[in-house]
Amino acid sequence: MAQMKTVVVSNETDPTVDSNVKPSLGAQNLSFTTVPETPPDSPSNASIDAERQSEEKSQDVLLSSKTQLADQSNYDVIPAITDVGQDTVETSPPDAAQGPQDKSKTQGVFPISTTQLLDKSNYETVPASTDGYQNTIQTSPTQLVLPSTHSLSPATRLKHKLHYSKEMLVCPGVYDGLSARIAQAVGFGTLYMTGAGSTASMLGMADLGIATRDDMVRNADMIANLDPHHHEIIADMDTGYGGPVTIAQTVKQYIRANVAAFHIEDQVLTKRCGHLSGKKVVSNQVYLSRIRAARGAIDSERADIQLIARTDANQQLGYDECMVRLKAARDLGADVGLLEGFKSKEEAAKAVKELAPWPLLLNIVENGHSPLITVDEAREMGFRIMIFSFAGLAPAYMAIKGAYEKLLHQGITGIQGNGIGPKVLFNVCGLKEAVAIDENAGGMDYKGLA
């Protein structure tokens, strides 16, 4: 800090008096002021200039560093394994001496075991631009296969399957707890909750838009949460059950229900099954308002639930109009497309090529209005998701009907001797897991039951 000296200023002819001379008590017309005094050991002008130049050089280095940090070309983009819907994360800028980084090394492959996730040899170490406190950081595993037991949300897992895998997802149609449990026990990872099957099972009614939003949300919630850590549910959302406000609320309810994906369509509110004649669709303007409302709700919730834009316009307006609608929906942020009611295999293959690389979903309804396309054929065409809406409903109808007819006419059901008793069915529905929960908690109610 600069030293100070006191100067006594007089209003008389001699303006300055040394401060060491103590003025008499009777002195008049004097004032006191303090001025800085350069200390004896203060640096020379040359030293001050050198210090100033050093500071300016440091500022130049700092600005250069900030510029490099802000330059996105210095960053590698890698898949981020999060549970909040984040697609990518940026690592610190690579060392310039290392040259361009091979970004293909960081692409994740889904789904490996938890052991590989924890194996540090699967991680790349890259230089981190810090203030000298951190030398390295770890990126995501270079070869990552998502374990089915990982704690990601169902929506995030499904999103990763679509974005970081080439596999086509084959999904059986389920409509209640038992059909979902059977599909899970057989080995399917992704299930499709059919609206037609849900309406028939819950209400005993035909698929004519009778099921309400509450009906569908309740059913989707139950199915999606039977085993959310190992299975994902794609659910029918029909028309969204109203205007944009209602659609937004419906989407948020599906998100809270742990649904991984849903499709919303362009039929009128008094809709019908996509494989019945006489379908009518709303205008493209109304359809796109539904897509915007759904996309807006997803973004506001910061959710990973996948939006599938479905059009039923092929029957009424033709293929070209379907392309117009699906391309517009894609541009508005729909994650997947669904053209319901292909008229030929050639038309299905054409749609995949025209909309590539946007993922398309193929709905197969045996004995419906569309040609039968096998899994291998769909995979060859390039579809990414394939749902079999009646895969559970039709066989269940045939088996139940046969047993009831035999009971009516012969007095027996015909299931005796097939080995399927209460315990077999209950094990499919989680009997062993329930008993284990009770025993692990110290309960004795179900000891020895499993």
Side-chain angles (χ1 to χ4, degrees):
M1 181 175 179
Q3 297 182 7
M4 312 299 289
K5 75 174 183 177
T6 302
V7 177
V8 182
V9 180
S10 170
N11 291 330
E12 303 298 333
T13 56
D14 188 3
T16 306
V17 178
D18 193 320
S19 61
N20 293 322
V21 179
K22 185 176 180 181
S24 65
L25 294 177
Q28 300 295 322
N29 298 322
L30 295 178
S31 65
F32 295 85
T33 184
T34 303
V35 297
E37 180 183 42
T38 303
D41 59 346
S42 61
S44 65
N45 291 336
S47 175
I48 294 174
D49 290 340
E51 183 178 352
R52 182 182 300 111
Q53 291 174 2
S54 176
E55 291 178 355
E56 291 175 351
K57 185 176 180 180
S58 298
Q59 290 296 325
D60 291 341
V61 172
L62 179 59
L63 289 174
S64 175
S65 176
K66 289 182 177 179
T67 301
Q68 185 179 8
L69 285 171
D71 186 356
Q72 293 190 3
S73 66
N74 289 322
Y75 289 77
D76 287 328
V77 180
I78 59 174
I81 310 305
T82 69
D83 206 10
V84 294
Q86 184 178 357
D87 286 332
T88 59
V89 295
E90 293 176 340
T91 66
S92 300
D95 191 338
Q98 294 181 354
Q101 300 295 299
D102 183 3
K103 295 182 180 181
S104 65
K105 292 181 180 180
T106 58
Q107 295 302 311
V109 181
F110 298 89
I112 59 187
S113 67
T114 306
T115 302
Q116 186 171 354
L117 279 171
L118 300 176
D119 186 354
K120 291 186 177 181
S121 66
N122 288 322
Y123 291 77
E124 285 186 309
T125 301
V126 298
S129 286
T130 66
D131 290 333
Y133 300 107
Q134 182 180 355
N135 292 326
T136 60
I137 60 173
Q138 289 183 330
T139 66
S140 298
T142 56
Q143 293 295 323
L144 176 62
V145 183
L146 183 65
S148 61
T149 56
H150 200 269
S151 61
L152 297 178
S153 72
T156 303
R157 290 199 308 268
L158 181 61
K159 180 178 181 178
H160 285 165
K161 288 180 180 179
L162 290 173
H163 286 269
Y164 304 122
S165 169
K166 298 292 186 181
E167 70 170 309
M168 183 181 74
L169 303 176
V170 180
C171 313
V174 300
Y175 48 88
D176 63 8
L178 179 58
S179 62
R181 287 286 199 178
I182 294 172
Q184 292 172 351
V186 167
F188 285 101
T190 307
L191 316 180
Y192 170 64
M193 190 195 84
T194 159
S198 297
T199 303
S201 177
M202 291 188 299
L203 306 176
M205 303 293 290
D207 186 12
L208 297 175
I210 296 172
T212 67
R213 177 179 69 177
D214 289 345
D215 292 329
M216 296 296 282
V217 170
R218 188 182 307 111
N219 205 38
D221 192 336
M222 180 271 296
I223 294 173
N225 288 289
L226 288 174
D227 190 0
H229 298 296
H230 298 85
H231 300 89
E232 303 89 41
I233 303 299
I234 300 173
D236 191 346
M237 195 186 280
D238 295 319
T239 62
Y241 313 105
V245 175
T246 301
I247 290 170
Q249 293 301 314
T250 304
V251 170
K252 292 177 182 180
Q253 289 184 13
Y254 270 49
I255 292 171
R256 290 193 289 270
N258 242 355
V259 172
F262 66 90
H263 62 72
I264 185 168
E265 66 197 47
D266 56 359
Q267 284 199 61
V268 296
L269 290 178
T270 52
K271 59 152 290 178
R272 63 195 66 190
C273 170
H275 289 260
L276 294 178
S277 300
K279 291 189 295 184
K280 295 180 180 180
V281 295
V282 297
S283 68
N284 193 30
Q285 180 180 2
V286 174
Y287 172 54
L288 295 182
S289 74
R290 293 176 180 177
I291 300 300
R292 290 190 192 95
R295 182 74 260 169
I298 294 171
D299 292 343
S300 70
E301 296 295 301
R302 300 180 181 180
D304 277 343
I305 191 170
Q306 298 293 279
L307 166 56
I308 303 171
R310 165 176 161 170
T311 178
D312 287 72
N314 203 17
Q315 186 184 96
Q316 180 184 354
L317 303 175
Y319 174 84
D320 290 341
E321 177 62 20
C322 290
M323 288 297 104
V324 170
R325 294 183 177 215
L326 288 179
K327 289 177 181 178
R330 175 192 62 190
D331 294 343
L332 289 175
D335 301 293
V336 180
L338 164 56
L339 195 161
E340 180 70 335
F342 285 114
K343 297 175 181 177
S344 66
K345 293 182 179 181
E346 292 74 20
E347 191 175 67
K350 180 182 177 182
V352 175
K353 291 180 180 179
E354 188 167 343
L355 293 168
W358 195 41
L360 285 191
L361 182 152
L362 175 63
N363 181 23
I364 292 297
V365 177
E366 296 86 349
N367 306 310
H369 281 188
S370 295
L372 178 62
I373 299 176
T374 67
V375 169
D376 289 339
E377 289 174 330
R379 186 179 290 113
E380 181 67 24
M381 291 177 185
F383 283 98
R384 294 302 314 282
I385 305 174
M386 193 174 187
I387 59 176
F388 288 81
S389 299
F390 274 61
L393 192 62
Y397 165 76
M398 292 187 293
I400 294 172
K401 180 173 179 289
Y404 289 173
E405 287 178 341
K406 185 168 287 189
L407 177 61
L408 177 64
H409 298 296
Q410 300 180 24
I412 58 173
T413 61
I415 62 175
Q416 181 65 30
N418 63 10
I420 301 177
K423 195 169 184 178
V424 172
L425 287 176
F426 296 159
N427 278 334
V428 172
C429 294
L431 175 63
K432 291 181 179 179
E433 291 82 357
V435 171
I437 291 173
D438 182 71
E439 292 182 351
N440 290 338
M444 302 293 289
D445 293 336
Y446 307 114
K447 187 173 180 61
L449 183 59

